[in-house]
Each structure stands twice: as structure tokens, then as C-alpha cells.
């Protein structure tokens, strides 16, 4: 089964739970167009990160034949393993805990996917690592191991590793969580640059709605196990559903940016 080629990612009818009768996600439908910037938000512990992993192909849906995830028009659970690896090479994933390898330097961490998934020479890998080290403001720290870096630097290193493969689609799980105001500002600026210069579509899970407020992204709310259609913050604040309005107003970072306007 195929999907329209214009979608970088499409989910159809996804449901998920960790055990029988325990529904976490139900009938999730979503499309991601080239250049899109989508934020998935909702109450804590309701399945946002799990949904992101499903969309990225890191978890499988329950197994109903009607549940589908497509990358670039191809059903990722029906293609051959080699084709799935090819499709995944066009995507990147930034984990909430960064998932950097503790026994490697930052340069070595960034080089990992390039060594395993490309035929680039050592010189080409070194040049690409240097490019992303500079772009993500990590110059001077490239020979350090993750434990010696601040949380903000670890997150930027994780973004550099994901972007080293030059993906068309980037998944980000709570990239602003735990960062101080200065590092949040830095990360938002870098995300804006990625969108402008690399033309990468971004699907982000976040409690902080500053990215949508400042960078013009759309927001999908995960409520009652279902994902609601993407809308602007303005539309959500005018929603007739008080739960939607209250959830948006409660999100970290939004109140501050709203008061500044």
C-alpha cells in the first residue's frame, strides 16, 4: 500500500497500549508535508513520546492491518528491511535524553550514523561533523565526552548527530525540556535556522509552546487518546472547547510570551 508522495510522513488509524485493555493512543491520523513544523502537546503521561516513536517507526502499532505509517509514500511495515533502512536514513530523531554514547567524544557521536549508514570517506565524515559542530555552536567542545557538557550542549550535539545524515524529516522529543532561558533561546534560534537553511520538516513533542508562538508552527493536541487536527495557537485560544483553551494557556513558556505581546 502506498500514500500520496507529497507527504513525508503519514499515520492512518494508529492505536497503541502497553497491555491489552490499556489504551494509550486510539485512531491517530496525521500527515506531515515538506517543510512542515508541527508540535504535539498535551497532558503529561498521555502518550506523546510514544506517538512520536510510532510516527518515526521506533515502535509498532498494535497490528491491525488498517494501522499504517508511511515514509515518503511507502508503508514502512510492508517494505523489505533494506528498503526500510533506506527510508529511515531520510529521517532523524532527537531523543529527550539525547542518547549520546558516553564513551565517545561529540565528534565521534556525530559520526556514528555516517559510518554505519553511508559510504562517505573518513575525510568526508570529518568535514560533515565539523560543519554540524560549527552550525550547532559546539566548536571547542568536539573532543569532550557528553558527561563534560551542559544539558544544552548535549541537546545540540544530539541535533547535530541527527542532522548529519541530512534528513528530510526530523522528529524531536522535548528538545527544550529542562533548559534554562538562555539555552531555550539558543535552541529556538537553531531550529529556525534548520528550517530556513536545510528545508527540513520537523515534528516535535513539547510542553513548551514558544516554538509555535515564535516560529509559526502548528499545534496538535493529544486529548482523550486522540490527536486533534493541527491548528495555530490563535485558533486554539479561540476554541469552543474549554479543555483546549485551558491546556494551551497552561503550557510552559506560552504565558510569558503572550504577556510580552
Amino acid at each position: 500500500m502506498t500514500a500520496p508522495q507529497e507527504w513525508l510522513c503519514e499515520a492512518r488509524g494508529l492505536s497503541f497500549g502497553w497491555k491489552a485493555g490499556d489504551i494509550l493512543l486510539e485512531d491517530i491520523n496525521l500527515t506531515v508535508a515538506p517543510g512542515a513544523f508541527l508540535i504535539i502537546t498535551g497532558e503529561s503521561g498521555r502518550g506523546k513520546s510514544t506517538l512520536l516513536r510510532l510516527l518515526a517507526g521506533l515502535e509498532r502499532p498494535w497490528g491491525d492491518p488498517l494501522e499504517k505509517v508511511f515514509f515518503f509514500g511507502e508503508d514502512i511495515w510492508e517494505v523489505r528491511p533494506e528498503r526500510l533502512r533506506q527510508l529511515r536514513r531520510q529521517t532523524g530523531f532527537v531523543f529527550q535524553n539525547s542518547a549520546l554514547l558516553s564513551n565517545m567524544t561529540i565528534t565521534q557521536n556525530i559520526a556514528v550514523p555516517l559510518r554505519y549508514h553511508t559510504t562517505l570517506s573518513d575525510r568526508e565524515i570529518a568535514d560533515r561533523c565539523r560543519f554540524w559542530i560549527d552550525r550547532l555552536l559546539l566548536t571547542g567542545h568536539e573532543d569532550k565526552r557528553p558527561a563534560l557538557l551542559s544539558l544544552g550542549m548535549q541537546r545540540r550535539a544530539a541535533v547535530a548527530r541527527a542532522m548529519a545524515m541530512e534528513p528530510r524529516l526530523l522528529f524531536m522529543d522535548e528538545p527544550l525540556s529542562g533548559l534554562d532561558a538562555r539555552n531555550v533561546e539558543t535552541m529556538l534560534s537553531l531550529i529556525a535556522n534548520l528550517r530556513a537553511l536545510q528545508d527540513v520538516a520537523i515534528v516535535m513533542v513539547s510542553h513548551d509552546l514558544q516554538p509555535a508562538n515564535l516560529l509559526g508552527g502548528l499545534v496538535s493536541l493529544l486529548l482523550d487518546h486522540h490527536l486533534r487536527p493541527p491548528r495555530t495557537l490563535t485558533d486554539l485560544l479561540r476554541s469552543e472547547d474549554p479543555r483546549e483553551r485551558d491546556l494551551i494557556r497552561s503550557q510552559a513558556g506560552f504565558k510569558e510570551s503572550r504577556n510580552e505581546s
Side-chain angles (χ1 to χ4, degrees):
M1 181 180 292
T2 61
Q5 290 289 338
E6 62 265 25
W7 304 128
L8 301 185
C9 178
E10 180 181 1
R12 296 182 190 171
L14 296 186
S15 295
F16 189 85
W18 294 110
K19 58 183 179 180
D22 181 16
I23 298 174
L24 186 63
L25 303 167
E26 188 172 17
D27 196 23
I28 301 293
N29 297 281
L30 180 69
T31 56
V32 181
F37 181 35
L38 175 67
I39 297 174
I40 298 172
T41 194
E43 298 170 337
S44 296
R46 301 298 182 179
K48 298 183 299 298
S49 293
T50 301
L51 173 55
L52 196 70
R53 292 176 63 87
L54 283 166
L55 295 174
L58 301 179
E59 297 282 356
R60 294 195 68 152
W62 270 349
D64 188 302
L66 298 179
E67 297 181 43
K68 301 291 183 182
V69 176
F70 298 88
F71 283 168
F72 320 109
E74 298 186 53
D75 186 334
I76 65 172
W77 299 121
E78 288 190 355
V79 297
R80 294 181 178 275
E82 177 55 35
R83 181 55 181 160
L84 178 56
R85 287 190 288 270
Q86 293 172 355
L87 293 171
R88 280 177 167 163
R89 287 171 196 152
Q90 301 178 64
T91 71
F93 198 102
V94 179
F95 295 88
Q96 184 175 351
N97 66 356
S98 299
L100 299 172
L101 299 174
S102 61
N103 62 337
M104 292 186 176
T105 66
I106 296 308
T107 296
Q108 291 169 336
N109 267 278
I110 296 171
V112 165
L114 300 174
R115 296 197 183 281
Y116 278 93
H117 300 300
T118 75
T119 58
L120 296 175
S121 67
D122 288 346
R123 177 61 180 272
E124 290 170 325
I125 289 174
D127 288 345
R128 191 172 296 187
C129 288
R130 169 52 57 191
F131 174 85
W132 285 107
I133 285 167
D134 292 343
R135 179 63 58 85
L136 273 297
L137 307 179
L138 293 166
T139 302
H141 304 281
E142 58 268 42
D143 294 327
K144 296 179 181 177
R145 295 186 178 185
L148 298 178
L149 300 183
S150 69
L151 180 61
M153 288 182 181
Q154 290 178 25
R155 291 275 173 79
R156 298 203 300 273
V159 175
R161 181 179 59 188
M163 288 303 300
M165 290 291 291
E166 299 180 345
R168 299 166 61 190
L169 174 61
L170 181 65
F171 299 97
M172 307 182 80
D173 191 2
E174 294 282 6
L176 306 180
S177 177
L179 300 184
D180 59 30
R182 181 177 180 182
N183 275 300
V184 167
E185 182 178 351
T186 298
M187 183 64 80
L188 289 175
S189 177
L190 292 171
I191 291 172
N193 288 337
L194 291 179
R195 295 185 65 214
L197 300 177
Q198 302 300 133
D199 193 30
V200 60
I202 297 175
V203 180
M204 175 191 299
V205 163
S206 181
H207 283 92
D208 192 330
L209 297 183
Q210 288 188 80
N213 201 32
L214 299 176
L215 306 179
L218 297 179
V219 179
S220 283
L221 299 181
L222 186 60
L223 286 172
D224 301 324
H225 315 296
H226 292 82
L227 188 68
R228 303 195 178 186
R231 284 168 286 173
T232 66
L233 283 177
T234 299
D235 288 340
L236 286 166
L237 284 170
R238 294 172 178 170
S239 170
E240 296 181 359
D241 186 337
R243 291 183 64 200
E244 292 186 346
R245 297 195 305 269
D246 291 345
L247 182 58
I248 292 299
R249 290 185 175 123
S250 70
Q251 297 306 290
F254 178 69
K255 183 176 181 181
E256 177 183 352
S257 60
R258 180 161 53 94
N259 289 343
E260 289 175 354
S261 60

